Amino acid sequence: MPSGPGTISDLKDIKGANMGSDMRRKILIMGLPGAGKTTLAGALAPPLNAVVFNADAVRANLSRDLGFSHDDRVEHARRMGWMCERVLEAGGTVIADFICPTPETRAAFGDAFTIWVDRIETGRFEDTNRMFVPPESFDLRVAAEGTPQYWAEQALARLRPAFDPQRPTALFIGRYQPFHTGHQRLIEEGLRRIDQVCIAVRDTHGIDAKNPLPFFAVKQRIEAALSAFAGRFVVVPLPNITNVYYGRDVGYAVERIVLDEETESVSATKIRALIAPP
């Protein structure tokens, strides 16, 4: 396999980069009963297009065997975390809305973007009040002041930062007919190196059999594949660029990224044959 500057001998670095992105798609809204967790989840889910797992609903439908001892709460947290991981595997975003009262329950749930709803001093269940341990680390603490909509916007700004056109940005130009896993790994590597990318799609739709997809179909596939990196990339149309020229001291680097052999072998021609009409 290729190695050295500008190459990747395996996908460990990409997987490591994705861990942070997965955390931004697995969201824990925790806190005492009656603090406003469910209301906040309802405000945050629509802009993220997120699945919501409410602890009471999960208990009523899937965890009827569990009570409220600490051991049962740890098991409940493990099940909640397991369900959330299945959503991540499908490329979705998920919010878990439950008390998660102790370090052990949070460890059982697993890594997540944690929102602590800290709006009340005591909840309506005394046993939960006694058990509850405030988290030592969290990504956002929701105070008593401010509406749920305000705090949903604060969370959204952290979870889905806006693309900043003035930040250093990597440019990728291609037809992406269709966008496949090789393209995805290439752009993920660009994100690892530069943190923000512009994906420019050449307008080649219909010029021959190799270009069956219009721009918006390509854009839809790219955005779905890279949903974990929302806010860190933008997809734009380009004319059918066939030549790229530059003069002296242009202020940017032009380089090729070489991936592992398996990824390099992914063929758009084979994929087009599979999705072609019968």
Side-chain angles (χ1 to χ4, degrees), residues 93-114:
T93 299
V94 60
I95 298 172
D97 151 28
F98 73 121
I99 298 167
C100 214
T102 66
E104 293 79 11
T105 59
R106 293 163 211 148
F109 179 74
D111 291 336
F113 183 95
T114 300

Side-chain angles (χ1 to χ4, degrees), residues 23 28 30-31 100 102-103 106-107 110-117 132-141:
M23 274 191 62
L28 170 62
M30 56 149 297
C100 214
T102 66
R106 293 163 211 148
D111 291 336
F113 183 95
T114 300
I115 302 174
W116 176 25
V117 184
F132 189 84
V133 178
E136 293 185 358
S137 63
F138 46 85
D139 297 284
L140 178 65
R141 174 178 170 270

Side-chain angles (χ1 to χ4, degrees), residues 71 120 134 160 207 261:
D71 286 347
I120 58 176
R160 296 291 187 270
I207 64 173
E261 289 180 0

Side-chain angles (χ1 to χ4, degrees), residues 75-255:
E75 174 59 18
H76 182 49
R78 187 196 67 78
R79 295 181 189 181
M80 293 281 284
W82 185 89
M83 291 189 298
C84 289
E85 292 296 330
R86 305 291 75 75
V87 176
L88 293 187
E89 286 179 357
T93 299
V94 60
I95 298 172
D97 151 28
F98 73 121
I99 298 167
C100 214
T102 66
E104 293 79 11
T105 59
R106 293 163 211 148
F109 179 74
D111 291 336
F113 183 95
T114 300
I115 302 174
W116 176 25
V117 184
D118 185 25
R119 298 172 71 96
I120 58 176
E121 294 185 1
T122 58
R124 59 184 180 273
F125 301 113
E126 190 55 40
D127 61 331
T128 302
N129 292 336
R130 289 194 299 270
M131 185 182 296
F132 189 84
V133 178
E136 293 185 358
S137 63
F138 46 85
D139 297 284
L140 178 65
R141 174 178 170 270
V142 176
E145 300 79 16
T147 66
Q149 291 73 24
Y150 167 81
W151 287 109
E153 289 297 322
Q154 298 304 303
L156 189 62
R158 291 163 172 77
L159 290 162
R160 296 291 187 270
F163 185 88
D164 182 352
Q166 293 190 331
R167 286 179 57 198
T169 302
L171 173 65
F172 291 87
I173 301 175
R175 295 181 300 115
Y176 307 113
Q177 295 278 344
F179 189 80
H180 55 63
T181 54
H183 297 137
Q184 182 177 343
R185 296 292 182 264
L186 183 67
I187 290 168
E188 286 175 346
E189 174 61 11
L191 284 164
R192 188 187 70 82
R193 296 184 184 196
I194 305 297
D195 196 54
Q196 183 171 276
V197 304
C198 174
I199 304 164
V201 180
R202 292 169 55 201
D203 185 3
T204 57
H205 172 227
I207 64 173
D208 56 32
K210 296 180 180 180
N211 295 276
L213 301 174
F215 167 73
F216 287 104
V218 175
K219 182 174 186 284
Q220 182 181 46
R221 285 166 169 79
I222 294 173
E223 290 178 340
L226 298 176
S227 61
F229 302 96
R232 295 175 59 194
F233 71 92
V234 63
V235 183
V236 299
L238 273 187
N240 184 16
I241 299 296
T242 58
N243 298 77
V244 177
Y245 303 110
Y246 60 92
R248 294 181 300 171
D249 193 22
V250 293
Y252 53 82
V254 179
E255 63 178 302

